[in-house]
Amino acid sequence: SAGGPDEMLDVADGGDNTSTAFHNNTAAISEKENEEEKEEEETTKAVYLTQGENIMLGAFAGIFKTYLLMPLATWKYCQQSGRALPKSIGEWYRGVLPNAAFMVPITIAQIWTNGVLEKIWSNNGERQLEKYEKVVVAVVAGALSALLYGPLDLVIIQQQKLKLGLIATLSHIKNEYGVMKFMRGLKACMVREAVYTGGYLGLAPVLSELLQQSGNPIFDGNPIVSAICGSIVAGVTASLVTHPVDTAKTNL
């Protein structure tokens, strides 16, 4: 026999509760899926330094590497041009101030240009660049920086050869050879800086990432160790590739 009104009401209430629970579960699943999609979207977006951060990083790196590597650069110049090694600390560091003064904007240009190209290439950070794309972007940034670095490098080399101050060296080059002399060796410089910048801004971070993903306990969870090892490999590789070009440019 049919139930009474109270029993029918209980059945209706039970149906409503079931329907409400179903909708709640559906909403919860949908919300979870939306959160997962949002997290996945965020992980695919690339995070890059701001232009100001790139400029500050470039300025610090330019000054630091100039003073650190100047004795090695002087040694290299002497070996490449067949000159005797300096006999005093001052001669080892001859040209360091103009070198540092010009190296800061050059390094800024390399890092800043690399950052701009990365954002353009990744659609303003909407996707992660592939490993080869990171290297290509760094190579292009390095080649463009040679437009600034080429004339500077020529002045530094001539200053070492002539043993003159900056102003005297600039005047000598201009008066003896003309203004276009400052662009001599530009193509060789573009090749050198393309490979060099491709090494430290492209290949080094790529190798660091590969080391962290290698499963080796030495690198797993140790980004600093991975970065150091990746930088060493990239630096040595870039040096071996660019050395013949650098020697040719020094003697132009």
Side-chain angles (χ1 to χ4, degrees), residues 102 146-159 162 165-189 249 252:
F102 285 106
L147 296 173
L148 182 61
Y149 196 5
L152 163 66
D153 202 30
L154 182 139
V155 171
I156 293 174
I157 293 171
Q158 293 302 314
Q159 192 176 1
L162 300 172
L166 175 61
I167 303 301
T169 302
L170 292 172
S171 298
H172 174 80
I173 296 173
K174 179 178 177 297
N175 295 333
E176 292 292 326
Y177 306 103
V179 177
M180 293 307 297
K181 174 71 174 180
F182 290 101
M183 303 306 294
R184 185 175 177 85
L186 179 61
K187 293 180 180 179
C189 188
K249 185 188 181 307
L252 284 175

Side-chain angles (χ1 to χ4, degrees), residues 35-252:
E35 290 178 355
E36 291 177 350
E37 289 178 359
K38 186 177 180 180
E39 290 177 358
E40 183 178 354
E41 182 179 353
E42 290 177 351
T43 56
T44 57
K45 286 187 176 182
V47 179
Y48 298 109
L49 297 178
T50 64
Q51 293 182 357
E53 290 170 336
N54 280 325
I55 291 173
M56 289 188 292
L57 178 61
F60 173 78
I63 294 173
F64 180 76
K65 74 175 184 179
T66 299
Y67 278 87
L68 180 66
L69 299 177
M70 190 63 193
L72 295 177
T74 300
W75 182 25
K76 178 177 70 72
Y77 293 150
C78 292
Q79 291 291 316
Q80 290 174 330
S81 57
R83 291 183 288 115
L85 294 175
K87 297 180 180 180
S88 66
I89 297 297
E91 290 183 352
W92 280 101
Y93 276 89
R94 183 184 296 276
V96 68
L97 290 179
N99 194 5
F102 285 106
M103 190 58 68
V104 168
I106 288 171
T107 310
I108 288 175
Q110 290 174 342
I111 295 178
W112 182 82
T113 304
N114 185 77
V116 170
L117 292 176
E118 281 183 334
K119 287 186 177 181
I120 295 174
W121 215 299
S122 64
N123 298 324
N124 202 27
E126 289 299 319
R127 68 179 183 88
Q128 294 280 357
L129 292 180
E130 299 292 337
K131 293 179 177 58
Y132 78 90
E133 290 178 313
K134 294 178 182 179
V135 177
V136 170
V137 165
V139 166
V140 174
L144 293 175
S145 73
L147 296 173
L148 182 61
Y149 196 5
L152 163 66
D153 202 30
L154 182 139
V155 171
I156 293 174
I157 293 171
Q158 293 302 314
Q159 192 176 1
Q160 293 272 352
K161 289 181 177 180
L162 300 172
K163 297 184 178 181
L164 297 174
L166 175 61
I167 303 301
T169 302
L170 292 172
S171 298
H172 174 80
I173 296 173
K174 179 178 177 297
N175 295 333
E176 292 292 326
Y177 306 103
V179 177
M180 293 307 297
K181 174 71 174 180
F182 290 101
M183 303 306 294
R184 185 175 177 85
L186 179 61
K187 293 180 180 179
C189 188
M190 292 184 73
V191 173
R192 184 190 67 187
E193 292 306 304
V195 177
Y196 167 73
T197 308
Y200 87 90
L201 287 180
L203 185 59
V206 167
L207 291 177
S208 175
E209 182 181 347
L210 290 175
L211 289 174
Q212 290 186 69
Q213 298 172 351
S214 65
N216 191 310
I218 297 176
F219 305 113
D220 188 20
N222 294 300
I224 295 179
V225 175
S226 300
I228 291 174
C229 293
S231 298
I232 291 174
V233 174
V236 171
T237 302
S239 296
L240 291 174
V241 173
T242 59
H243 187 71
V245 180
D246 183 63
T247 301
K249 185 188 181 307
T250 300
N251 289 282
L252 284 175

